[in-house]
Amino acid sequence: GFFPSTESSIATQPVIETELVCVTRKDHPLARHAEIDLRQLVGQTVAVVDHHLGATFNMQQILHDALGNHGLITTNQSLAALNMVVHGGAVAVLHPLTVPQHLLDILHVARFEPREQVTFAIFYSRRRPLSRIVSKFMVAIRDSARVQGALLDSMGIPFTVTM
């Protein structure tokens, strides 16, 4: 996730608020749960993305403390974690936007406890007006997020478009 900037010349526009989710194959025993908690992951192979900051770093630490090095796979690529799930090698804790819509027929997305909130934001200079292309880009992101948000909300995953 991104954090508000304290730099006075940089503006921060939050776009999306959501939380990390647990992703399994639909044929996995955990897929029958709308919410999955940390205790249910003991004994599972779990993939998590670690970007060394923010929500993913916090989650990697939480999972490491609970699972140790046994069964925890860290990667810097959401796609790698997702592919481990698709091929039955792991469950994953990911940002919900990393789960492509075309895979939802084989994947189950569940809320995960402990909750780890994620806010995505756009940063821009306060010293220069936004160009038309940047303004159009921000509108496109907002509109796309609304479509994805409706899908995630229908699955019980909190997702708010804040822009």
Side-chain angles (χ1 to χ4, degrees), residues 8-154:
S8 64
S9 66
I10 303 293
T12 305
Q13 173 63 57
V15 179
I16 299 166
E17 293 177 351
T18 188
E19 60 190 38
L20 297 179
V21 295
C22 187
V23 183
T24 68
R25 286 180 51 92
K26 283 195 175 175
D27 59 0
H28 192 281
L30 290 174
R32 69 177 196 263
H33 301 284
E35 290 193 30
I36 297 171
D37 70 40
L38 192 56
R39 294 177 306 239
Q40 292 170 289
L41 295 184
V42 173
Q44 303 288 328
T45 300
V46 180
V48 64
V49 177
D50 181 7
H51 294 297
H52 303 290
L53 62 108
T56 59
F57 179 75
N58 292 344
M59 185 54 66
Q60 188 273 338
Q61 293 295 313
I62 290 166
L63 291 168
H64 182 269
D65 291 347
L67 305 173
N69 288 330
H70 270 27
L72 182 62
I73 300 170
T74 59
T75 177
N76 65 351
Q77 298 277 329
S78 298
L79 186 58
L82 192 62
N83 276 321
M84 285 185 251
V85 176
V86 166
H87 295 288
V91 300
V93 177
L94 299 169
H95 187 288
L97 288 181
T98 64
V99 182
Q101 203 168 353
H102 73 276
L103 291 178
L104 291 176
D105 59 334
I106 64 167
L107 296 180
H108 173 70
V109 180
R111 291 190 78 185
F112 186 67
E113 180 68 40
R115 306 274 188 257
E116 190 63 44
Q117 301 299 316
V118 181
T119 300
F120 281 100
I122 296 173
F123 294 93
Y124 56 93
S125 173
R126 292 182 193 272
R127 296 181 183 168
R128 288 188 261 162
L130 291 178
S131 67
R132 271 190 261 159
I133 193 71
V134 170
S135 296
K136 287 182 179 184
F137 177 71
M138 290 171 72
V139 168
I141 288 174
R142 181 200 62 206
D143 293 347
S144 176
R146 285 180 177 159
V147 171
Q148 191 69 16
L151 174 65
L152 291 167
D153 280 338
S154 74

